[in-house]
Structures are given as structure tokens and as C-alpha cells.
């Protein structure tokens, strides 16, 4: 776990274009309404075991204000519940890059978003424990 367990620092955010493209091309996926989670694992020695990005479709939400509202809610729910996936990754000595997509066409309340994000994170933990997310990505 990071030094401040309930923070979402810059190092924990997925910003690398190469890695984002790799997650979309080679990554595994899970769905749990209203989210689709894409992830890829690798054997890296980063400071942070998980890097996450949050995306909302411009097709579904034309106004940036609404997209930003949903991304803020998703980031907050992830920040509070990211501890679910850290123990599994530390046990397997893996790093994980996540992209969480919001694909519903309506703005949901924060409690619904948080509940469903926890469900999808638990699905990710089960997939990692089963070995579905075996390391496939080797960055340059």
C-alpha cells in the first residue's frame, strides 16, 4: 500500500500513451454495469503496484461538465476502495494498469457508482487470483 492509503497520487494515475494503447490492444476485460474494466499486468518495479485511468464516452455525454462529474465520482470511489486489489498484486509481485470505462447513458448517483466499482474491483481480484491476468506486457 502507498504511504497515504486513501490518496490518489500522480504516480497512481495511468498517463503513458504506450501503456494505454497496450491495455486496449492486449488487455483483459471485465464488465459490471455501468463499468467496463480493462487491465494488463506486468513484472515491473514501479513505486505503485496499480496505475488507473478513468474514461467517459463523449458520445454518451456531449458536455464536458457531465463527463468530468462522472470521472470525479469514479476517481473518488476508486480512491476509497483501491485497497481491495493491492494485497493480491503484492502477493504475486505484479504491477497492474487499469482503465475504467463508464458506458451507461445516464448520470448515476455516487453510492451506485461506488457499489458497482467495488463489484468490478472484486471481479478483478478473482481474475488475478485465478491467473487470468498473467503478465503479458513488457514496456520498452
Amino acid at each position: 500500500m502507498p504511504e497515504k492509503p486513501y490518496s490518489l497520487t500522480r504516480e497512481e494515475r495511468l498517463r503513458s500513451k504506450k501503456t494505454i494503447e497496450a491495455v486496449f490492444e492486449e488487455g483483459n476485460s471485465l464488465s459490471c454495469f455501468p463499468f467496463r474494466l480493462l487491465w494488463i499486468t506486468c513484472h515491473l518495479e514501479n513505486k505503485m503496484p496499480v496505475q488507473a485511468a478513468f474514461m467517459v464516452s463523449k458520445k454518451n455525454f456531449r458536455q464536458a461538465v457531465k463527463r468530468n462529474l462522472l470521472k470525479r465520482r469514479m476517481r473518488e470511489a476508486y480512491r476509497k476502495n483501491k485497497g481491495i486489489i493491492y494485497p493480491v498484486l503484492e502477493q504475486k509481485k505484479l504491477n497492474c494498469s487499469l482503465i475504467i470505462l463508464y458506458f451507461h447513458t445516464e448520470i448515476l448517483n455516487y453510492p451506485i457508482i461506488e457499489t458497482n466499482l467495488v463489484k468490478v474491483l472484486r471481479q478483478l481480484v478473482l481474475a488475478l487470483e485465478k491467473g487470468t491476468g498473467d503478465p503479458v506486457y513488457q514496456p520498452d
Side-chain angles (χ1 to χ4, degrees), residues 28 39-43 92 94 127-128 130-137:
N28 301 306
W39 86 93
I40 199 166
T41 57
C42 60
H43 289 292
K92 293 193 171 225
L94 292 174
L128 289 170
K130 288 180 185 175
T132 309
D134 287 335
V136 291
Y137 178 61

Side-chain angles (χ1 to χ4, degrees), residues 4 60 74 89 130 134:
K4 297 179 181 179
N60 294 337
M74 289 166 54
L89 292 170
K130 288 180 185 175
D134 287 335

Side-chain angles (χ1 to χ4, degrees), residues 107-125:
I107 297 175
L108 297 175
N109 293 332
Y110 175 76
I112 296 169
I113 288 175
E114 183 176 24
T115 303
N116 291 316
L117 190 69
V118 168
K119 284 181 190 175
V120 84
L121 290 176
R122 288 196 175 128
Q123 286 179 0
L124 174 63
V125 167

Side-chain angles (χ1 to χ4, degrees), residues 32-97:
C32 180
F33 173 82
F35 300 111
R36 182 166 176 227
L37 184 127
L38 303 167
W39 86 93
I40 199 166
T41 57
C42 60
H43 289 292
L44 274 183
E45 295 301 323
N46 286 346
K47 281 193 214 175
M48 300 298 163
V50 181
Q51 288 187 324
F54 305 89
M55 296 183 181
V56 178
S57 172
K58 191 173 184 179
K59 181 179 177 182
N60 294 337
F61 298 97
R62 300 296 296 170
Q63 296 175 331
V65 172
K66 293 178 181 178
R67 289 194 307 275
N68 292 339
L69 171 71
L70 286 167
K71 287 190 278 187
R72 278 196 308 272
R73 288 180 181 178
M74 289 166 54
R75 278 194 303 265
E76 179 67 7
Y78 174 78
R79 180 188 71 81
K80 288 171 67 178
N81 297 291
K82 67 183 177 182
I84 294 170
I85 50 180
Y86 274 78
V88 175
L89 292 170
E90 289 173 358
Q91 175 189 3
K92 293 193 171 225
K93 294 184 171 78
L94 292 174
N95 286 4
C96 186
S97 298

